[in-house]
């Protein structure tokens, strides 16, 4: 707790060189010193923010996806994905983030990740998988995005001009002025989820993901299997957003082919599948609802569909 | 009674696995030879041409066992393209877009829950679900114990560079 306040103070000091108070007390001055105020923007510092702030941003962004598609009500399946995901993340460059994985209830095929260690895959994607190595391949690809801070890089463009004072307030968590930064963040997050990351970041995450999978004992060809499924997928709406936000699966396969070559032929201590995956895949999902963790009663989220 | 159920479940599991793996169709990308075993220096099992249709029998790491014109053999997984438009058997099809109509695809067809661009644009952040997500997370110790029980082996593997083009 103490460490956190020191961190916050240090962050505030580092990011805000002028006291925001002056502007708050004399609002008219704001307009006069606009030229000066422009210097006090978030600028290029988003990728360098401390971990607690990164996790806070990730939580807000994860809430967007969860607002569009809630978690699958199957605690056993969710815990399973967390165990596989956490094990993979332990073989990434950021093993100590508070990693959180979830399957969200939608038929569409997609997967998302957020700064700070959040990874969400759709039930539609989970249902398409042949084996646990394919699940590992997709999770490891998302873990790679988080490890490389690709999202912070993507958000940077939209948030560069956000006021530092707003960001500091957002970090402080007292609402108020921080609400302006949060609104900008939510909007930037929606842009990111609907437009996707750089294609180069996607190819890099593929290459890093297959290595993370192999390090964790899974066949690095699991991701290839998923990409093959996607490349042969019918032109349906269920794949539209995934396709819009990623390079063509055939291009990703070709790049992986180029990078992997026969390098993994000697890595033989890997598995394709485990009984845990087979059992869960075959389990009828609705019947498992009784093992769902307690939800807050009387949730008022409007369900737009189904 | 319980034993019957267990046997039935086992049978169902078996069916799911085999049928999911049995019927995939694909095509060879680059001409070459099928191999008798999944090793780079294995004996040749017969030639294949580019675009030759094959049935995929099994996947094993970098390799797939295929059958074509009565010849069986192994081919690099990355030398295969799956037949376009073929949804994998055994897997549920996402979306079923044909049942949706209109530009937004928002026909109230039961059982279809999509998450398209518009859904994300209109989404209200859900912090109750975020909290629930947090309760489902596991510790590193838990993950390690599970991996050990499953006999997953850790490997030392260096990150990959982009590699060279085949041509
Ligand atoms: Zn990606």
């Amino acid at each position: 707790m103490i460490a956190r306040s020191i961190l916050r103070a240090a962050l505030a000091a580092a990011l805000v060189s002028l006291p925001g108070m002056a502007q708050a007390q004399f609002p008219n001055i704001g307009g006069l010193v606009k030229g000066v105020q422009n210097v006090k923007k978030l600028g290029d510092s988003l990728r360098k923010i401390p971990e607690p702030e990164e996790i806070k941003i990730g939580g807000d962004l994860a809430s967007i996806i969860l607002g569009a598609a809630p978690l699958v009500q199957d605690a056993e399946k969710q815990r399973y994905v967390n165990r596989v995901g956490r094990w993979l993340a332990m073989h990434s460059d950021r093993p100590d983030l508070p990693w959180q994985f979830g399957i969200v209830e939608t038929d569409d095929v997609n997967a998302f990740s957020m700064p700070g260690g959040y990874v969400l895959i759709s039930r539609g994607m989970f249902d398409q998988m042949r084996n646990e190595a394919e699940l590992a391949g997709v999770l490891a690809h998302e873990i790679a995005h988080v490890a490389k801070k690709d999202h912070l890089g993507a958000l940077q463009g939209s948030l560069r001009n956000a006021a530092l004072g707003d960001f500091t307030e957002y970090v402080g968590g007292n609402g108020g002025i921080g609400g302006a930064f949060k609104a900008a963040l939510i909007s930037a997050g929606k842009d990111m989820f609907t437009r996707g990351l750089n294609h180069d970041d996607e190819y890099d995450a593929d290459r890093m993901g297959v290595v993370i999978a192999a390090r964790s004992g899974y066949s690095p060809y699991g991701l290839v299997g998923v990409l093959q499924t996607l490349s042969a997928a019918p032109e349906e709406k269920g794949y539209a957003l995934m396709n819009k936000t990623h390079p063509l699966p055939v291009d990703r396969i070709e790049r992986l082919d180029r990078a992997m070559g026969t390098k993994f032929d000697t890595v033989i201590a890997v598995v394709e599948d485990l009984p845990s995956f087979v059992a869960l895949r075959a389990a009828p999902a609705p019947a498992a609802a009784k093992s769902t963790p307690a939800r807050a009663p009387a949730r008022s989220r409007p369900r737009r569909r189904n | 009674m319980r034993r019957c159920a267990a046997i039935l479940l086992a049978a169902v599991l078996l069916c799911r696995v085999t049928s999911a793996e049995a019927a995939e169709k694909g095509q060879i990308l680059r001409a070459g030879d099928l191999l008798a075993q999944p090793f780079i220096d294995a004996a040749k099992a017969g030639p294949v041409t580019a675009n030759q249709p094959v049935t995929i029998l099994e996947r094993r790491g970098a390799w797939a066992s295929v059958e074509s014109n009565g010849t069986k053999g192994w081919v690099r997984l990355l030398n295969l393209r799956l037949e376009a438009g073929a949804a994998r058997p055994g897997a549920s099809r996402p979306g079923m877009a044909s049942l949706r109509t209109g530009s937004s695809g928002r026909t109230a067809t039961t059982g279809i829950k999509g998450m398209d661009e518009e859904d994300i644009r209109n989404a209200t952040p859900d912090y109750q679900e975020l909290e629930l997500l947090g309760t489902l997370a596991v510790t590193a110790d838990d993950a390690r114990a599970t991996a050990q029980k499953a006999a997953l082996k850790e490997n030392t593997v260096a990150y990959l560079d982009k590699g060279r083009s085949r041509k």
Side-chain angles (χ1 to χ4, degrees), chain A residues 141-142 145 197 201-202 205-206 246 252:
Chain A
H141 169 100
E142 297 302 330
H145 280 312
L197 301 167
D201 286 344
E202 295 298 345
D206 283 344
H246 287 78
R252 294 171 68 184

Side-chain angles (χ1 to χ4, degrees), chain B:
Chain B
M1 187 58 206
R2 181 170 290 177
R3 198 154 135 229
C4 285
I7 290 167
L8 191 66
L9 181 67
V12 169
L13 291 182
L14 206 63
C15 288
R16 292 277 313 231
V17 173
T18 37
S19 71
E21 307 233 336
E24 280 194 79
K25 304 266 186 214
Q27 287 170 351
I28 298 288
L29 287 173
R30 298 174 294 273
D33 285 290
L34 296 182
L35 300 179
Q37 288 177 309
F39 305 111
I40 215 89
D41 48 1
K44 292 171 180 175
V48 280
T49 57
N51 300 321
Q52 183 170 328
V54 297
T55 302
I56 301 165
L57 307 171
E58 187 192 343
R59 289 160 178 263
R60 201 183 295 172
W63 299 88
S65 167
V66 299
E67 193 265 313
S68 181
N69 299 331
T71 307
K72 269 191 202 177
W74 293 88
V75 61
R76 298 291 285 188
L77 188 63
L78 283 161
N79 194 16
L80 279 181
R81 174 197 315 128
L82 292 195
E83 198 172 272
R88 280 197 329 99
S92 70
R93 302 266 296 267
M96 295 198 293
S98 55
L99 294 179
R100 294 186 186 177
T101 56
S103 58
S104 70
R106 252 166 222 285
T107 308
T109 312
T110 47
I112 296 176
K113 288 165 283 179
M115 180 174 49
D116 60 16
E117 209 173 320
E118 207 184 330
D119 295 324
I120 290 175
R121 287 258 162 242
N122 296 333
T124 305
D126 190 327
Y127 291 94
Q128 277 182 14
E129 287 292 305
L130 184 70
E131 216 177 299
L132 179 58
L133 181 72
T135 67
L136 297 165
V138 302
T139 62
D141 285 346
D142 184 335
R144 184 176 295 283
T146 308
Q148 275 166 358
K149 217 195 286 178
L152 282 170
K153 301 268 190 303
E154 293 175 274
N155 297 293
T156 306
V157 186
Y159 284 129
L160 297 169
D161 58 31
K162 290 180 181 171
R164 291 232 176 90
S165 174
R166 190 172 290 279
K167 286 133 218 162

